Amino acid sequence: MGPLHGVRVIELAGLAPVPFAGMMLADLGADLVRIDSSSRYAPPAGPLDRGKSCIEIDLKDAAGRELVRELVSKADVFMEGFRPGVAERLGVGPLDLCALNSRLIYGRLTGWGQEGPLALRVGHDINYIALTGVLDIIGRHGERPVPPANLIADFAGGGMLLAAGVMGALFERERSGFGQVVDAAMIDGASLLMTFIHGLYDTQMWNAERGSNMLDGAAAYYDTYQTADGKHVALGAVEPEFFATLTAVLDLDDEDLGFQLDPTSWPRWRAVLAEKFRTKTRDEWADIFGDVDACITPVLSPWEAPDHPHHVARGSFIEVDGVRQPAPAPRFGRTPSQTPQALKVLSVAAARARWSGCDPPE
């Protein structure tokens, strides 16, 4: 039934980050109801809404707000992704709702945080990672920074951070008996993901110049290479023993190329490796290195990935409402997550009955 079975969550509809947090909680077994406000844009249902139910409520209407308060009185978690002050103006801010339910975990997710000179400004993933240093380190040497889609601030530093905060608050509530506000900001989450890089820079193991470090594409043994069919393989043979295995399989003579970890040798190694990998297709290299510990893998598209034998063996992808998508994670031995269902639309009567202990009407 999932480790969060029995936990009741209300999610105010919004764009990707909060729905992703809600998806994670629903994947873990939480009973999640999404509120779609008829006065606001609600995104079309998709994979982020799996395992959820939804109900349309006009938050600007007194009757609608009263229904929200009724649901909140029986909920464990309430999550919203408005800019600071908006939830308060709608009458669904933390002071309003926590007064109704002292055990409520109120999760709020913003881009810039609840305070600070940028708190009320608009922004997107690219803006948050720009101001945290994340964007500056992504890209080739001498070239402009490259946006890594919207994965870092929206999802890893936003939605996943909110989900982790909510679960931490739920755990603390078991000791204190009280809920609390979880303030998650995408700019904070993006900064948090840079902790390791800050440590490397402090010990002079990371250069300030983009694309000149071992892990950002400068090292010949940690990069991607084009293959004969125009596709790519990913190479991550950092350890000398794995790199030695790589050169042995590729039948390369390393005597004149220099020590693998010496940055002055990287251009020579890159030229040789690039020439070698262009001699075969991506899938041919995948077969050659399939059973070899050399840290080399094919670069798959998101649409190819589900068919890779490793994902197939682990059941890493599922199909929900005709859409193939990643399966719930992580995995639990005693309380495994169930295969989620598509978003279910509720009537007002069904929403009221859902958490009242009786079955919803047909």
Side-chain angles (χ1 to χ4, degrees), residues 43-94:
L48 295 184
D49 298 307
R50 67 192 191 192
K52 305 177 184 179
S53 299
C54 73
I55 180 174
E56 185 175 296
I57 299 176
D58 187 353
L59 294 177
K60 293 185 177 181
D61 178 72
R65 289 193 298 273
E66 187 57 36
L67 177 56
V68 172
R69 293 164 66 87
E70 180 182 333
L71 295 175
V72 164
S73 68
K74 303 171 184 177
D76 297 290
V77 180
F78 181 91
M79 300 192 302
E80 53 95 355
F82 295 130
R83 274 197 268 178
V86 173
E88 284 81 356
R89 290 197 295 272
L90 290 171
V92 293

Coordinates of all heavy atoms in Angstrom, one line a residue, residues 43-94:
P43 N -3.4 22.9 -15.4 CA -2.7 22.2 -16.5 C -3.5 20.9 -16.8 O -4.1 20.4 -15.9 CB -1.3 21.9 -16.0 CG -1.5 22.0 -14.5 CD -2.5 23.0 -14.2
P44 N -3.4 20.5 -18.0 CA -4.1 19.2 -18.4 C -3.5 18.0 -17.6 O -2.3 18.1 -17.2 CB -3.8 19.1 -19.9 CG -2.6 19.9 -20.1 CD -2.7 21.1 -19.2
A45 N -4.3 17.0 -17.4 CA -3.8 15.9 -16.6 C -2.7 15.2 -17.4 O -2.7 15.1 -18.6 CB -5.0 14.9 -16.4
G46 N -1.7 14.7 -16.6 CA -0.6 14.0 -17.2 C 0.1 13.1 -16.2 O -0.4 12.9 -15.1
P47 N 1.3 12.6 -16.5 CA 2.0 11.7 -15.5 C 2.2 12.3 -14.1 O 2.2 11.6 -13.2 CB 3.3 11.5 -16.2 CG 3.0 11.7 -17.7 CD 2.0 12.7 -17.8
L48 N 2.3 13.6 -14.0 CA 2.5 14.2 -12.7 C 1.3 14.1 -11.8 O 1.3 14.3 -10.6 CB 2.9 15.7 -12.8 CG 4.3 16.0 -13.4 CD1 4.6 17.5 -13.4 CD2 5.4 15.2 -12.8
D49 N 0.1 13.8 -12.4 CA -1.1 13.7 -11.7 C -1.5 12.2 -11.4 O -2.6 12.0 -10.9 CB -2.2 14.4 -12.5 CG -2.0 15.8 -12.6 OD1 -1.7 16.5 -11.6 OD2 -2.0 16.3 -13.8
R50 N -0.6 11.3 -11.7 CA -1.0 9.9 -11.5 C -1.2 9.7 -10.0 O -0.6 10.3 -9.1 CB 0.1 9.0 -12.0 CG 1.4 9.1 -11.2 CD 2.5 8.4 -11.9 NE 3.7 8.2 -11.1 CZ 4.9 7.9 -11.6 NH1 5.0 7.6 -12.9 NH2 5.9 7.7 -10.8
G51 N -2.2 8.8 -9.7 CA -2.5 8.4 -8.3 C -3.3 9.4 -7.5 O -3.5 9.3 -6.3
K52 N -3.7 10.5 -8.2 CA -4.4 11.6 -7.6 C -5.9 11.6 -7.9 O -6.3 11.0 -9.0 CB -3.8 12.9 -7.9 CG -2.3 13.1 -7.6 CD -1.8 14.4 -8.1 CE -0.3 14.5 -8.0 NZ 0.2 15.8 -8.4
S53 N -6.7 12.3 -7.1 CA -8.0 12.7 -7.5 C -8.1 14.2 -7.6 O -7.2 14.9 -7.0 CB -9.0 12.2 -6.4 OG -9.0 10.8 -6.3
C54 N -9.1 14.7 -8.3 CA -9.2 16.2 -8.3 C -10.6 16.6 -8.2 O -11.5 15.9 -8.5 CB -8.6 16.7 -9.6 SG -9.5 16.4 -11.1
I55 N -10.8 17.9 -7.8 CA -12.1 18.5 -7.6 C -12.0 19.9 -8.0 O -10.9 20.6 -7.7 CB -12.6 18.3 -6.2 CG1 -14.0 19.0 -6.1 CG2 -11.7 18.9 -5.2 CD1 -14.7 18.8 -4.7
E56 N -13.0 20.5 -8.7 CA -12.9 21.9 -9.0 C -13.6 22.7 -8.0 O -14.8 22.5 -7.6 CB -13.6 22.1 -10.4 CG -13.5 23.6 -10.9 CD -14.0 23.8 -12.3 OE1 -13.5 23.2 -13.2 OE2 -15.0 24.5 -12.4
I57 N -12.9 23.7 -7.4 CA -13.4 24.6 -6.4 C -12.9 26.0 -6.7 O -11.8 26.3 -7.0 CB -12.9 24.2 -5.0 CG1 -13.3 22.8 -4.6 CG2 -13.4 25.2 -4.0 CD1 -12.7 22.4 -3.3
D58 N -13.9 27.0 -6.7 CA -13.5 28.4 -6.9 C -13.0 29.0 -5.6 O -13.8 29.2 -4.7 CB -14.7 29.1 -7.5 CG -14.4 30.6 -7.9 OD1 -13.2 31.0 -7.7 OD2 -15.3 31.2 -8.5
L59 N -11.7 29.2 -5.5 CA -11.2 29.8 -4.3 C -11.6 31.2 -4.0 O -11.4 31.7 -2.9 CB -9.6 29.7 -4.4 CG -9.0 28.3 -4.4 CD1 -7.5 28.3 -4.5 CD2 -9.5 27.5 -3.1
K60 N -12.1 31.9 -5.1 CA -12.6 33.3 -4.9 C -14.0 33.3 -4.4 O -14.5 34.4 -4.1 CB -12.4 34.1 -6.2 CG -11.0 34.3 -6.6 CD -10.9 35.2 -7.8 CE -9.4 35.4 -8.1 NZ -9.3 36.3 -9.3
D61 N -14.6 32.2 -4.3 CA -16.0 32.1 -3.8 C -16.1 31.6 -2.4 O -15.3 30.7 -2.0 CB -16.8 31.1 -4.7 CG -18.2 30.9 -4.3 OD1 -19.0 31.9 -4.5 OD2 -18.5 29.9 -3.7
A62 N -16.9 32.3 -1.6 CA -17.0 31.9 -0.2 C -17.3 30.5 0.1 O -16.7 29.8 1.0 CB -18.0 32.8 0.5
A63 N -18.3 29.9 -0.7 CA -18.6 28.5 -0.6 C -17.5 27.6 -0.9 O -17.3 26.6 -0.3 CB -19.9 28.2 -1.4
G64 N -16.7 28.0 -1.9 CA -15.6 27.2 -2.3 C -14.5 27.2 -1.3 O -13.9 26.1 -0.9
R65 N -14.2 28.4 -0.7 CA -13.2 28.4 0.4 C -13.7 27.6 1.6 O -12.9 27.0 2.3 CB -13.0 29.9 0.8 CG -12.2 30.6 -0.3 CD -11.7 32.0 0.3 NE -12.8 32.8 0.7 CZ -13.4 33.7 -0.1 NH1 -13.1 33.8 -1.4 NH2 -14.4 34.5 0.4
E66 N -15.0 27.6 1.9 CA -15.5 26.8 3.0 C -15.3 25.4 2.8 O -15.0 24.6 3.7 CB -17.0 27.2 3.2 CG -17.6 26.5 4.5 CD -16.8 26.9 5.8 OE1 -16.3 28.1 5.9 OE2 -16.7 26.1 6.6
L67 N -15.5 24.9 1.5 CA -15.3 23.5 1.2 C -13.8 23.1 1.4 O -13.5 22.1 1.9 CB -15.7 23.2 -0.2 CG -15.5 21.8 -0.7 CD1 -16.2 20.7 0.2 CD2 -16.0 21.6 -2.1
V68 N -12.9 24.0 1.0 CA -11.5 23.8 1.2 C -11.2 23.7 2.7 O -10.5 22.8 3.1 CB -10.6 24.9 0.6 CG1 -9.2 24.8 1.0 CG2 -10.8 24.9 -0.9
R69 N -11.7 24.5 3.5 CA -11.5 24.5 4.9 C -12.1 23.2 5.5 O -11.5 22.6 6.4 CB -12.2 25.7 5.6 CG -11.5 27.0 5.2 CD -12.4 28.2 5.6 NE -12.7 28.3 7.0 CZ -11.9 29.0 7.8 NH1 -10.8 29.6 7.3 NH2 -12.1 29.1 9.1
E70 N -13.2 22.7 5.0 CA -13.8 21.5 5.5 C -12.8 20.3 5.2 O -12.6 19.4 6.0 CB -15.1 21.2 4.8 CG -15.8 20.0 5.2 CD -17.1 19.8 4.4 OE1 -17.7 20.8 4.0 OE2 -17.5 18.6 4.3
L71 N -12.2 20.3 4.0 CA -11.3 19.2 3.6 C -10.0 19.3 4.4 O -9.5 18.3 4.9 CB -11.0 19.3 2.1 CG -12.1 19.0 1.2 CD1 -11.7 19.2 -0.3 CD2 -12.7 17.6 1.4
V72 N -9.5 20.6 4.6 CA -8.3 20.8 5.4 C -8.4 20.3 6.8 O -7.5 19.8 7.4 CB -7.9 22.3 5.3 CG1 -6.9 22.6 6.4 CG2 -7.4 22.6 4.0
S73 N -9.6 20.4 7.4 CA -9.8 20.0 8.8 C -9.6 18.5 9.0 O -9.3 18.0 10.1 CB -11.2 20.3 9.3 OG -12.2 19.6 8.6
K74 N -9.6 17.7 7.9 CA -9.4 16.3 7.9 C -8.1 15.8 7.2 O -7.8 14.6 7.1 CB -10.6 15.6 7.3 CG -11.9 15.9 7.9 CD -13.1 15.3 7.0 CE -14.4 15.8 7.6 NZ -15.6 15.3 6.8
A75 N -7.3 16.8 6.8 CA -6.1 16.5 6.0 C -4.9 16.4 6.9 O -4.9 17.0 8.0 CB -5.9 17.5 4.9
D76 N -3.8 15.8 6.3 CA -2.5 15.8 7.0 C -1.6 16.8 6.4 O -0.7 17.4 7.1 CB -1.9 14.4 6.9 CG -2.7 13.4 7.6 OD1 -2.7 13.4 8.8 OD2 -3.3 12.5 6.9
V77 N -1.7 17.1 5.1 CA -0.8 17.9 4.3 C -1.6 18.8 3.4 O -2.6 18.4 2.8 CB 0.2 17.1 3.5 CG1 1.2 18.0 2.8 CG2 1.0 16.1 4.4
F78 N -1.2 20.1 3.3 CA -1.7 21.0 2.3 C -0.5 21.6 1.6 O 0.4 22.1 2.2 CB -2.5 22.1 3.0 CG -3.1 23.1 2.1 CD1 -4.4 22.9 1.6 CD2 -2.5 24.3 1.7 CE1 -5.0 23.8 0.7 CE2 -3.0 25.2 0.9 CZ -4.3 25.0 0.4
M79 N -0.5 21.6 0.2 CA 0.6 22.2 -0.5 C 0.1 23.2 -1.6 O -0.9 23.0 -2.3 CB 1.3 21.0 -1.2 CG 1.9 20.0 -0.3 SD 3.1 18.8 -1.1 CE 2.0 18.2 -2.5
E80 N 0.9 24.3 -1.7 CA 0.6 25.3 -2.7 C 1.9 25.9 -3.2 O 2.9 25.8 -2.6 CB -0.3 26.4 -2.1 CG 0.2 27.0 -0.8 CD 1.0 28.3 -1.0 OE1 1.3 28.7 -2.2 OE2 1.4 28.9 0.0
G81 N 1.8 26.4 -4.4 CA 3.0 27.0 -5.1 C 2.8 28.4 -5.6 O 3.3 28.8 -6.6
F82 N 2.0 29.2 -4.8 CA 1.7 30.6 -5.2 C 2.9 31.5 -4.8 O 3.8 31.1 -4.0 CB 0.5 31.1 -4.4 CG -0.8 30.5 -4.8 CD1 -1.6 30.0 -3.8 CD2 -1.2 30.3 -6.1 CE1 -2.8 29.4 -4.1 CE2 -2.4 29.7 -6.4 CZ -3.2 29.3 -5.4
R83 N 3.0 32.6 -5.4 CA 3.9 33.7 -5.0 C 3.5 34.1 -3.6 O 2.4 34.0 -3.2 CB 3.9 34.8 -6.0 CG 4.9 34.6 -7.1 CD 5.2 35.9 -7.9 NE 4.3 36.2 -8.9 CZ 4.3 37.3 -9.7 NH1 5.2 38.2 -9.4 NH2 3.5 37.5 -10.7
P84 N 4.5 34.6 -2.8 CA 4.2 35.0 -1.4 C 3.1 36.0 -1.3 O 2.9 36.9 -2.1 CB 5.5 35.7 -1.0 CG 6.6 35.1 -1.8 CD 5.9 34.8 -3.2
G85 N 2.2 35.7 -0.4 CA 1.0 36.5 -0.1 C -0.3 36.2 -0.9 O -1.4 36.5 -0.4
V86 N -0.2 35.4 -1.9 CA -1.3 35.0 -2.7 C -2.3 34.1 -1.9 O -3.5 34.3 -1.9 CB -1.0 34.4 -4.1 CG1 -2.2 33.9 -4.8 CG2 -0.2 35.4 -4.9
A87 N -1.7 33.1 -1.3 CA -2.5 32.1 -0.5 C -3.2 32.9 0.6 O -4.4 32.6 0.9 CB -1.7 31.0 0.0
E88 N -2.5 33.8 1.2 CA -3.1 34.6 2.3 C -4.3 35.4 1.8 O -5.3 35.5 2.4 CB -2.1 35.5 2.9 CG -1.1 34.8 3.9 CD 0.0 34.1 3.1 OE1 0.0 34.1 1.9 OE2 0.9 33.5 3.8
R89 N -4.1 36.0 0.6 CA -5.2 36.9 0.1 C -6.4 36.0 -0.3 O -7.6 36.5 -0.3 CB -4.7 37.6 -1.2 CG -3.8 38.7 -0.8 CD -3.6 39.7 -2.0 NE -3.0 39.1 -3.2 CZ -1.7 39.0 -3.4 NH1 -0.9 39.5 -2.5 NH2 -1.3 38.5 -4.5
L90 N -6.2 34.8 -0.6 CA -7.3 33.8 -1.0 C -7.9 33.2 0.3 O -8.9 32.5 0.2 CB -6.8 32.7 -1.9 CG -6.4 33.2 -3.3 CD1 -5.7 32.0 -4.1 CD2 -7.7 33.6 -4.1
G91 N -7.3 33.5 1.4 CA -7.9 32.9 2.7 C -7.5 31.5 2.9 O -8.1 30.8 3.7
V92 N -6.4 31.0 2.2 CA -5.9 29.6 2.4 C -4.4 29.7 2.8 O -3.7 28.7 2.5 CB -6.1 28.8 1.2 CG1 -7.6 28.5 0.9 CG2 -5.5 29.4 0.0
G93 N -4.0 30.7 3.5 CA -2.6 30.8 4.0 C -2.4 29.9 5.2 O -3.4 29.4 5.7
P94 N -1.2 29.8 5.6 CA -0.9 28.9 6.8 C -1.6 29.3 8.1 O -2.0 28.4 8.8 CB 0.6 29.0 6.9 CG 1.0 30.2 6.1 CD 0.0 30.4 5.1

